[in-house]
């Protein structure tokens, strides 16, 4: 009996087409979002990380080409990027820097924006569609929980997410929590737009 190793699944590993990107970019510009870090979003990311007990959390706005972490919590506490605890780091090698910008084909948030639904990946390696994403091998991400930020116009502006370098059993409670926090942040953005904050 012979064994055929699995072949790459091709399109399953690609970032989905984002037909709403031009409209999203116009909306983000009107709101003044997605071009600079903001202390309020960093504080929100800190809160996300604390609630989920994870090393990384983000408030992420996405355009046609990249993701921008307007809010970022990382283990180094700077909010300007961090160094995940990958196997390379354990061997003394320097892991890659994670900063405020990431290409659209890295990570899982672009999938959340296109799907317009929360995404729970307790162990990304269990999902062929996501296991081949560059953040798995290059950054060491093993677990993801994210929800879209859908504003009053119906546009998915971006996401909030938490990630870990170990598999995590998020469960129903994690899903409900991330969705509730996304709704809370959308309310803050809308109050800001109306001059409330």
């Amino acid at each position: 009996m012979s064994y055929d190793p699995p072949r790459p699944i091709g399109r399953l590993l690609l970032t989905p087409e984002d037909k709403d990107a031009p409209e999203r970019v116009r909306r983000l510009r009107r709101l003044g979002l997605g071009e600079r870090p903001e202390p309020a979003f960093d504080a929100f990311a800190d809160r996300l990380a604390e609630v989920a007990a994870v090393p990384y959390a983000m408030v992420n706005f996405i355009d046609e080409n990249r993701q921008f972490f307007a809010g970022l919590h990382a283990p180094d506490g700077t909010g300007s990027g961090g160094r995940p605890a990958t196997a390379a780091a354990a061997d003394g090698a320097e892991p890659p820097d994670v900063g405020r910008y990431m290409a659209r084909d890295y990570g899982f948030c672009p999938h959340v924006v296109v799907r317009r639904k929360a995404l729970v990946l307790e162990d990304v390696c269990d999902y062929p569609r996501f296991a081949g994403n560059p953040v798995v091998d290059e950054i060491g991400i093993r677990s993801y929980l994210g929800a879209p930020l859908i504003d009053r116009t119906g546009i998915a502006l971006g996401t909030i997410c938490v990630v870990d370098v170990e598999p995590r059993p998020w469960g129903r409670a994690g899903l409900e929590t991330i969705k509730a926090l996304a709704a809370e942040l959308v309310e803050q953005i809308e109050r800001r737009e109306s001059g409330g904050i």
Side-chain angles (χ1 to χ4, degrees):
M1 185 164 162
S2 67
Y3 171 73
D4 292 325
R7 291 178 290 168
I9 300 176
R11 287 195 53 84
L12 287 179
L13 301 180
L14 296 177
T15 303
E17 182 181 359
D18 186 358
K19 294 177 183 176
D20 296 333
E23 186 177 3
R24 176 181 317 107
V25 169
R26 286 190 294 275
R27 180 76 177 134
L28 287 169
R29 286 188 182 137
R30 278 194 299 272
L31 292 168
L33 298 174
E35 296 187 7
R36 66 186 174 283
E38 296 193 25
F41 293 143
D42 281 338
F44 197 89
D46 290 342
R47 184 170 156 224
L48 285 171
E50 183 178 335
V51 166
V54 295
Y56 299 95
M58 296 87 156
V59 174
N60 187 7
F61 298 112
I62 300 172
D63 66 22
E64 293 106 326
N65 303 307
R66 68 181 184 185
Q67 305 174 67
F68 175 68
F69 304 128
L72 178 63
H73 173 90
D76 64 9
T78 65
S80 62
R83 297 178 174 274
T86 62
D91 293 340
E94 286 291 313
D97 282 324
V98 178
R100 292 278 181 174
Y101 295 95
M102 188 175 285
R104 240 190 111 253
D105 58 348
Y106 275 54
F108 312 110
C109 289
H111 294 269
V112 172
V113 166
V114 170
R115 290 167 26 121
R116 302 172 56 85
K117 293 181 181 178
L119 179 62
V120 179
L121 300 171
E122 294 183 344
D123 185 343
V124 296
C125 295
D126 290 343
Y127 302 89
R129 176 179 192 137
F130 300 111
N133 193 283
V135 297
V136 177
D137 291 331
E138 293 178 24
I139 301 175
I141 301 304
R142 286 292 301 276
S143 188
Y144 172 92
L145 177 64
L149 298 169
I150 301 174
D151 80 349
R152 63 176 175 73
T153 67
I155 295 173
L157 302 172
T159 67
I160 60 169
C161 69
V162 294
V163 295
D164 205 339
V165 295
E166 300 292 334
R168 292 287 300 268
W170 303 112
R172 167 79 48 199
L175 175 62
E176 294 306 319
T177 298
I178 200 80
K179 287 166 58 177
L181 289 167
E184 180 183 318
L185 186 58
V186 167
E187 286 179 16
Q188 287 180 26
I189 291 168
E190 290 175 352
R191 279 196 308 270
R192 178 169 121 161
E193 180 182 23
S194 65
I197 58 172

